[in-house]
Structure formats: C-alpha cells, structure tokens
Amino acid sequence: MDERKPRANSGRPSSRPSSSGRPSSTGRPSSRPSSDRPSSGRPSSSSSSRPTGPNRERRREDLPARGGSSDRAGAIRQVSQGREAIDPRGFRPKPLERDQSRLRPRIFEPDIPEEITGEELEKSVRAELLSLSAENAKVVARHLVSINIHMDSDPELAHKHGIAAAHHAGRLAVVRESAGYAAYRAGYYEIALKELRAAHRISGDVSMWPVMADCERGLGRPLKALNLAGSDEVKRLAKPEEIEMRIVASGARRDLGELDAAVITLTCKELKTENEEWAVRLRYAYADALEVAGRKAEAREWFKKCADIDHDEFTDAAERAQ
C-alpha cells in the first residue's frame, strides 16, 4: 500500500470534494487510503526520481531555463527597446507611435457675422439638426446660412463654409448636400461629387443626381455622366430635376462630339411648356445645341421662343435671337 503522506496545505481550499461529498473543512485534500483512489498510472516512488521524457538523457544544466528556450523569438530582452530587465513588471516593448492620419485635423473656419443666428434656415432644415448638441447645431446652422448667402456672390467663401459645416456634422445628409452644392458652384467637382454621394448614401435622395452627373462632365468623364443619366434613379426624379438631367446628358453628348445626339436628347414634349421655371433653361439649351450642330435658322427661332418666356432676362436669348 502506498504510504505517501498527504501534501501540506497550500493555503488555498481544495477543489476536490471529500468522501462525504462536502469540501474538507480544513481546506486540505481528503486523506483517503490510496486503495480508494483510481489508479493514475504514475510510477511508484522508487522510480519517480528517474527523469523521463525526451530530455531524460540530458544533464540538467544543459536544459533551457524554466519558461522556454532562450533562442525563441522575443525571448532576449533588449533593454533599449523596453523596460529594464530588472523591472519586476517584466519586459514590454515600446508603445507604437500614434497614427497621425487618424487624428481629426483642424480646419480653417471662416468668420460668421454676428447678425447671422441660424434661425434664418427653413424650419425643416433646422429640424434635421436636432440630433446635434445645441451648441454644435447653432454653429452648423450659421454655416449653412452663410452658404446660402454667398453661393452666388462669393462661391469660394460659400465652399469654405460648406467644409466647416461638414466638419461639424458630417453624418447629416442636409449638411453634406449643402457642402456638395457649394463645392460644385466653386468648381471643385471632385469634392462636390464626394459630398453629394455621401448625402445620397445617408438619405437615399436622388434629387442631386443631375448635379452629380454634371460633376462627372466637369472632371472630363462624359461617359460616366451618361451612365448616371441612364440609371434607374432618374425615374424617381421630379420634373425639374428630370429636365436638368436631360440638359446634362445633352452636354455630355456634345463633349463626345455627338452633336446630333445632343439635339435629340433635348427634343421632347416639354419644349412646348411656357409657365414653368425650367422651361427657360430647356429652350435655351435646345437652341444652343441646334446652333452647335450647325442648324442656325432653327437655333435663332428657338432663341426667340426662349426670350419670349424669359421675362426676367435670365439668359441672353434675346441677343442670340438677332
């Protein structure tokens, strides 16, 4: 019978239950006779002192230090690259430098006159800013008002206000859309396209589709403009945006040298319309396409028809009709 004594108390309760099914009150393992224990298959005490395993023939001093081989990757401490070797917390490499590209850059924010409060925005637009903090919403609203004020008189300044607004509220569709239109009017077509695409992803609104197509034209990609003009989204456009898309598609045909196709693109029943705001632009674009295609007489006729409904002299149709 194995007369080995129970191990001394290690200072922690045993996780093995006693013979009664309850943990031992002393915190020591049960001292049941060895005959009650299942056979572990371990060698007897007479043979346990002999080393076993793959290193049994090697001397103890030839074996690697406890913790693994000293030639494994990362095992040799280099004090110059981390804590000192005597540091009780152990070795730790230097922290990696922070990726500066992920830091939010500071931007230039144009000054806003004090008289601009943000209340000048339409109620529906202000409602979309309610997800922002009150302070941030006011800043964004003032930038949006500034975009509207400077869009025609100073497109470059309006574009800067658009950048600032998108910096403060880049997850709002109305902000990205306004920034896109401001960039478009300033001639920054790549930026405008990025902003308008973002607005479309957020809201699903397709009303900016014609401007996106014209941005592709501005970047010298008329085929991409035509792809947008032929997409399914165009079917969801309201009449004013549908007419704008026709005008952009006609311009893309002209960019490709397809002058007759440019005229055909604008040949539609809406040319007879007189009392809509888009009617002036449609007639003017049609007359211009006729002139470029070499159909001078027809072009003068349509310039005159355009001048007849252009009461505010929005175009120079009257002059070109002469």
Side-chain angles (χ1 to χ4, degrees), residues 152-175:
D152 296 323
S153 59
D154 193 345
E156 188 71 27
L157 180 56
H159 170 54
K160 292 177 180 178
H161 282 290
I163 293 175
H167 179 76
H168 287 287
R171 296 184 179 181
L172 298 184
V174 65
V175 174

Side-chain angles (χ1 to χ4, degrees), residues 70 74-92:
S70 61
I76 300 177
R77 296 181 181 178
Q78 297 184 19
V79 177
S80 62
Q81 296 183 4
R83 292 174 177 162
E84 294 185 1
I86 61 174
D87 192 322
R89 293 173 294 176
F91 172 74
R92 184 177 68 182

Side-chain angles (χ1 to χ4, degrees), residues 15 43 57-58 78 94 108 114 124 136 142-143 180 215 226-228 231 297:
S15 60
E57 302 299 333
R58 299 173 63 183
Q78 297 184 19
K94 287 183 178 180
F108 166 77
E114 293 183 1
S124 60
N136 194 30
R142 296 178 72 204
H143 279 302
C215 286
L226 290 174
N227 286 339
L228 286 173
S231 63

Side-chain angles (χ1 to χ4, degrees), residues 238-280:
K239 183 59 68 174
E241 286 78 26
E242 179 188 337
I243 296 301
E244 289 298 326
M245 184 59 88
R246 278 185 177 272
I247 295 172
V248 172
S250 176
R253 293 294 183 187
R254 286 169 60 172
D255 295 341
L256 294 170
E258 302 172 359
L259 304 183
D260 291 334
V263 174
I264 295 172
T265 301
L266 293 172
T267 304
C268 57
K269 63 181 180 180
E270 285 80 6
L271 284 169
K272 299 178 180 180
T273 303
E274 297 184 355
N275 56 356
E276 297 289 348
E277 292 183 3
W278 47 261
V280 174

Side-chain angles (χ1 to χ4, degrees), residues 294-305:
R295 298 159 63 173
K296 305 295 184 181
E298 294 176 82
R300 283 194 298 272
E301 177 185 353
W302 278 100
F303 276 127
K304 184 177 182 304
K305 290 182 178 180

